[in-house]
């Protein structure tokens, strides 16, 4: 599975200012609507918050992987969000989140959603992608680094 197939330039948000998890997720949902990826901001936001109530999707080292299913999504979307200030995401290591990999999938294909989660986890574990993406200043740089690092696994 190539994750880069599901990551387009319109799916990258650099410079998220919100520092609280709820405000950050709402801003990201608004970003998705502005890009024409979703219509129902509240629906996606509610699903992301429901998932966070079960357990934080922060995994440590400044990274979170929020994810949910939506009927609005045909296949799979991967969104990368970079925060310079950091977001309080209730991370296990207490560090602020600076890099978000948001996964939106459709319940009709949960296997694809799970494969994306597993591949992102492997990418984080086996490459230098966290440090490299956090330092990115433009969308093209994010795409280039993502593809380079994914090519290593």
């Amino acid at each position: 599975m190539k994750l880069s197939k599901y990551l387009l330039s319109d799916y990258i948000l650099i410079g998220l200012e919100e520092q609280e998890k709820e405000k950050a997720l709402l801003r990201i949902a608004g970003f998705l609507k502005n890009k024409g990826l979703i219509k129902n901001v509240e629906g996606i936001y509610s699903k992301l918050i429901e998932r966070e109530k079960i357990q934080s999707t922060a995994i440590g080292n400044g990274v979170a992987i929020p994810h949910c299913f939506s009927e609005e999504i045909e296949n799979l979307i991967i969104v990368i969000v970079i925060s310079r200030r950091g977001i309080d995401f209730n991370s296990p290591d207490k560090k602020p989140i600076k890099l978000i990999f948001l996964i939106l999938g459709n319940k009709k294909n949960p296997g694809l959603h799970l494969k994306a989660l597993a591949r992102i986890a492997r990418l984080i574990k086996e490459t230098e992608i966290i440090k490299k993406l956090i330092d990115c200043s433009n969308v093209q740089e994010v795409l280039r680094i993502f593809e380079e690092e994914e090519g290593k696994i």
Side-chain angles (χ1 to χ4, degrees):
M1 166 185 218
K2 282 289 238 186
L3 293 174
S4 51
K5 173 182 174 183
Y6 304 100
L7 175 67
L8 304 180
S9 59
D10 275 355
Y11 304 175
I12 299 168
L13 173 59
I14 299 173
L16 182 74
E17 292 293 319
E18 288 75 5
Q19 292 181 279
E20 297 170 16
K21 176 174 28 181
E22 292 79 8
K23 289 179 181 177
L25 291 174
L26 184 58
R27 169 72 176 87
I28 294 166
F31 169 80
L32 296 171
K33 182 178 183 195
N34 291 341
K35 293 294 183 175
L37 300 171
I38 64 167
K39 293 179 181 153
N40 185 352
V41 170
E42 274 300 317
I44 292 290
Y45 173 72
S46 295
K47 289 175 183 183
L48 291 169
I49 291 297
E50 282 175 32
R51 174 60 187 86
E52 291 299 321
K53 286 179 181 177
I54 295 168
Q55 182 177 359
S56 175
T57 57
I59 61 169
N61 290 325
V63 178
I65 312 174
H67 53 279
C68 69
F69 293 108
S70 171
E71 291 73 34
E72 286 192 69
I73 307 302
E74 270 186 51
N75 200 4
L76 183 79
I77 292 174
I78 297 172
V79 179
I80 292 180
V81 180
I82 299 170
S83 168
R84 304 274 184 247
R85 301 174 78 189
I87 307 161
D88 180 4
F89 231 88
N90 199 20
S91 183
D93 63 4
K94 308 294 184 215
K95 291 181 181 176
I97 297 305
K98 295 197 172 186
L99 181 61
I100 294 174
F101 294 94
L102 174 71
I103 301 172
L104 300 175
N106 190 303
K107 276 189 177 177
K108 293 177 184 173
N109 194 351
L112 185 61
H113 188 93
L114 293 172
K115 284 178 186 175
L117 278 168
R119 184 108 170 129
I120 287 172
R122 185 171 172 212
L123 190 61
I124 290 166
K125 183 179 179 183
E126 295 181 17
T127 71
E128 297 292 318
I129 197 164
I130 298 170
K131 182 184 180 320
K132 289 180 179 181
L133 286 181
I134 288 173
D135 292 337
C136 286
S137 58
N138 64 65
V139 170
Q140 285 68 37
E141 190 178 10
V142 170
L143 289 171
R144 180 183 57 77
I145 288 170
F146 190 88
E147 288 179 19
E148 283 175 8
E149 296 300 305
E150 185 177 22
K152 295 176 182 178
I153 61 169

